[in-house]
Amino acid sequence: MSTKRGNWNSKLGFILAASGSAIGLGNIVFFSSNAYQYGGGAFYLPYFVALFVLGLPIMMMEFGMGTLTGKSFPLALRQLAGKRAEFVGWWSIASAMFITAYYVAILGWAFGMMVGAFGSLFEPGITAPFAPFANPTESASAMVYFFSLLATWWPVVFIFVIWGLNLLILRNGTATIERAVRIFVPLMWLFMIGLVVRGLTLDGGFDGAMYLFTPDLEGIADANVWRGAFSQMFFSLSLGLGTMTAYASYLPKDADQVNNSLLVSFLNCGFEFIAGLAIFSLLFVYALNPAGSTLSLSFFVIPQGINELSTIPWITRLFGFLFFFLIVIAGLTSSISLIEGPAAALIDKLKISRRKALTIIAVPCMIGSVLCTLPIIVDQGLNGNGTLGLSILDITDHWVFSYSLLIVGLVECLAIGWILGADKLRLALNQYARYPLGRWFNVLIKYVIPTLLATVILSSLWEERSALYGSGVDMVGFNWLPLFIPVFWLVVSLGFAYYLTKKPYEA
Ligand code: PFF
């Protein structure tokens, strides 16, 4: 029954791939720092609202579009809602490529930290600056190690390793993806469960968990908390970037997408919950302060905690290695999906080979990844955005992450809800669903989600009015970046979308 586009071998293969896509840096690195930044318990209500009101229905919609049309995101939108919707599909594909570039850069650093476990990054109580296999000193910390790593060209090498792995896994489409996720996804669950058990059994570990899960009703009046929860949920569930539609398009038409959405969201949020428990218990036991940038939590606060986990060197090292190995494999199963969305879209529309599509994507994205790891130091204090690469990453993430996912979510709801008709999609989904969707689904897609998303997007834009993001940091010689990056992203992504929508297509 395999078609030219390829199919998943089994339903399990699809669930592993889709949940592997969802579970990634978002669940380990971003979730905990967001939850902390927004006040732990205050994050929960917005988070659950985001899951049930936005995340689940949109996942059902994106999965449904894939099985209904058998096509990737832009062409599925074209078939269901016309050419203007296709344009938005291509715009999201361009944004996925921007995100891939920096997502892989972060994975490169994680790989560098993993390598550090063989040197002296993880020694009980002490850490050496990054220099492969250097001797540890009493005064150095994981933060020093991290920034010293960033200030070398080594991450460029690590990025090529991660890109190589991605392309290797993607070379034969579903066949090779399925093989990889069958190994990586169970493995990452195993490691995360190991970490949480160790965290919670530490003296005082439970208090950290309580901080994270004690509801704080005061914080929920803050619009920023809601904005944070909404973007976090979109990113964590891999929505708004064409990924889930591409993966779903490799399923047979009679797949139960209501059930699949429930399963994938549940696995994703379950993993996120466990990761939060593990990380917060470690933070509390060792009184670590996770303030600072998003990356700081995983890249130098947690390693500091790991160094305290045991007085036996090999155990400390093993934990350090496993923590970053976990980030690398969880990230890989997500980055392959970030690349597969654009690959499937280009193959479908331009009828080119997989190899050619992967080359078209990999070349510019690899250049982007390298730019994100430029070691030129622009902030001598080395806090915040110490290196040029880190600044580029941070500003790109600010614009693409905060806006494109939510804008695409908004437009696809309007396109499916009003042009195709939400009821048509609902009935199509219900045809094979064990738990059919009620009319509430139409109300969510047509009214509730667009209203919520439009409010969040407009309020974010309003907040931007006072100063361009990133312009407060004095990056000697590079102060043009905060303006250049958003303009570059918009011009390139909209141009790309225009060009590909215009290209003639015969089904
Ligand atoms: N969901 C992934 C994570 O949480 O890290 C990131 C991601 C992958 C987002 C694929 C979007 C996507 F299409």
Side-chain angles (χ1 to χ4, degrees):
M1 69 169 213
S2 89
T3 67
K4 237 173 51 204
R5 290 181 85 255
N7 273 322
W8 301 110
N9 265 326
S10 61
K11 181 181 162 187
L12 178 70
F14 167 72
I15 295 294
L16 287 174
S19 66
S21 164
I23 300 170
L25 294 174
N27 303 58
I28 308 171
V29 179
F30 302 142
F31 172 75
S32 296
S33 66
N34 274 335
Y36 184 84
Q37 190 188 333
Y38 296 121
F43 199 59
Y44 266 80
L45 187 66
Y47 180 85
F48 281 116
V49 170
L51 170 62
F52 291 109
V53 178
L54 297 175
L56 266 169
I58 294 187
M59 187 177 285
M60 289 172 190
M61 183 168 81
E62 293 199 352
F63 276 170
M65 282 159 56
T67 32
L68 216 61
T69 61
K71 297 201 173 76
S72 47
F73 197 53
L75 288 182
L77 276 168
R78 177 192 175 114
Q79 185 174 325
L80 299 175
K83 259 194 154 182
R84 274 179 303 173
E86 181 187 353
F87 177 84
V88 179
W90 285 113
W91 187 61
S92 81
I93 294 292
S95 295
M97 288 166 64
F98 274 86
I99 292 184
T100 305
Y102 71 77
Y103 200 89
V104 172
I106 301 175
L107 286 180
W109 293 329
F111 191 84
M113 300 297 273
M114 195 177 92
V115 172
F118 293 104
S120 47
L121 173 58
F122 301 103
E123 294 282 341
I126 46 178
T127 301
F130 177 79
F133 314 110
N135 292 324
T137 61
E138 292 289 344
S139 58
S141 67
M143 178 169 160
V144 175
Y145 177 97
F146 179 69
F147 277 119
S148 325
L149 169 68
L150 256 58
T152 69
W153 288 98
W154 275 99
V156 176
V157 176
F158 301 144
I159 277 176
F160 283 110
V161 174
I162 302 282
W163 265 106
L165 289 171
N166 272 296
L167 296 176
L168 202 67
I169 297 173
L170 287 165
R171 72 189 185 285
N172 288 338
T174 44
T176 35
I177 295 174
E178 199 163 335
R179 235 185 291 158
V181 294
R182 274 179 189 266
I183 303 169
F184 288 158
V185 174
L187 212 57
M188 75 199 190
W189 276 96
L190 196 73
F191 290 161
M192 191 40 98
I193 290 171
L195 204 64
V196 78
V197 169
R198 183 68 195 112
L200 290 179
T201 50
L202 288 166
D203 240 3
F206 204 72
D207 298 336
M210 288 315 289
Y211 172 77
L212 184 58
F213 297 114
T214 308
D216 160 13
L217 292 180
E218 242 166 66
I220 64 168
D222 183 354
N224 280 318
V225 178
W226 289 85
R227 201 156 49 215
F230 284 12
S231 317
Q232 168 68 28
M233 188 54 70
F234 258 78
F235 189 74
S236 188
L237 291 177
S238 303
L239 301 174
L241 289 172
T243 301
M244 289 310 192
T245 301
Y247 270 11
S249 72
Y250 303 131
L251 275 175
K253 287 229 176 298
D254 60 357
D256 179 349
Q257 296 297 32
V258 175
N259 202 25
N260 287 344
S261 303
L262 286 167
L263 203 58
V264 171
S265 309
F266 174 74
L267 286 170
N268 178 69
C269 295
F271 192 94
E272 206 149 78
F273 183 86
I274 298 179
L277 279 179
I279 288 173
F280 275 77
S281 55
L282 215 61
L283 294 180
F284 266 64
V285 172
Y286 301 116
L288 299 167
N289 176 11
S293 75
T294 316
L295 293 179
S296 61
L297 179 62
S298 300
F299 282 89
F300 39 88
V301 182
I302 301 289
Q304 216 55 33
I306 289 174
N307 281 350
E308 311 274 345
L309 267 181
S310 158
T311 49
I312 306 167
W314 71 265
I315 294 186
T316 311
R317 283 182 184 197
L318 185 68
F319 262 101
F321 175 81
L322 288 182
F323 180 70
F324 284 103
F325 184 62
L326 168 68
I327 292 187
V328 169
I329 59 174
L332 260 179
T333 56
S334 300
S335 61
I336 53 171
S337 72
L338 268 167
I339 305 169
E340 181 59 25
L346 290 175
I347 295 169
D348 282 352
K349 175 110 193 196
L350 305 178
K351 310 238 170 24
I352 53 178
S353 68
R354 170 162 284 270
R355 177 184 286 256
K356 195 161 174 193
L358 287 176
T359 312
I360 294 175
I361 297 160
V363 171
C365 289
M366 263 188 209
I367 295 174
S369 305
V370 170
L371 288 177
C372 290
T373 50
L374 284 178
I376 302 158
I377 294 172
V378 287
D379 168 8
Q380 297 301 331
L382 275 189
N383 32 41
N385 303 324
T387 58
L388 181 60
L390 196 52
S391 301
I392 294 177
L393 188 154
D394 184 47
I395 299 171
T396 311
D397 173 66
H398 172 80
W399 292 102
V400 186
F401 177 89
S402 317
Y403 291 99
S404 61
L405 281 66
L406 299 185
I407 292 176
V408 171
L410 170 67
V411 179
E412 64 181 309
C413 281
L414 293 176
I416 298 296
W418 294 91
I419 301 177
L420 173 77
D423 211 44
K424 272 204 188 130
L425 179 77
R426 182 177 74 91
L427 294 176
L429 284 168
N430 280 352
Q431 221 180 330
Y432 304 105
R434 195 176 335 152
Y435 312 109
L437 303 169
R439 280 182 201 280
W440 51 264
F441 181 79
N442 303 352
V443 178
L444 284 181
I445 297 287
K446 288 174 80 165
Y447 305 101
V448 180
I449 301 178
T451 310
L452 280 174
L453 289 178
T455 312
V456 165
I457 295 164
L458 291 176
S459 81
S460 296
L461 281 171
W462 180 248
E463 296 254 316
E464 307 275 359
R465 77 195 182 286
S466 50
L468 210 51
Y469 182 83
S471 57
V473 187
D474 189 21
M475 294 178 286
V476 191
F478 296 97
N479 284 325
W480 46 275
L481 274 177
L483 178 63
F484 177 78
I485 291 178
V487 171
F488 178 78
W489 161 57
L490 279 175
V491 170
V492 170
S493 59
L494 292 171
F496 175 89
Y498 180 77
Y499 174 77
L500 277 148
T501 312
K502 279 265 163 208
K503 277 237 156 215
Y505 171 71
E506 288 149 39

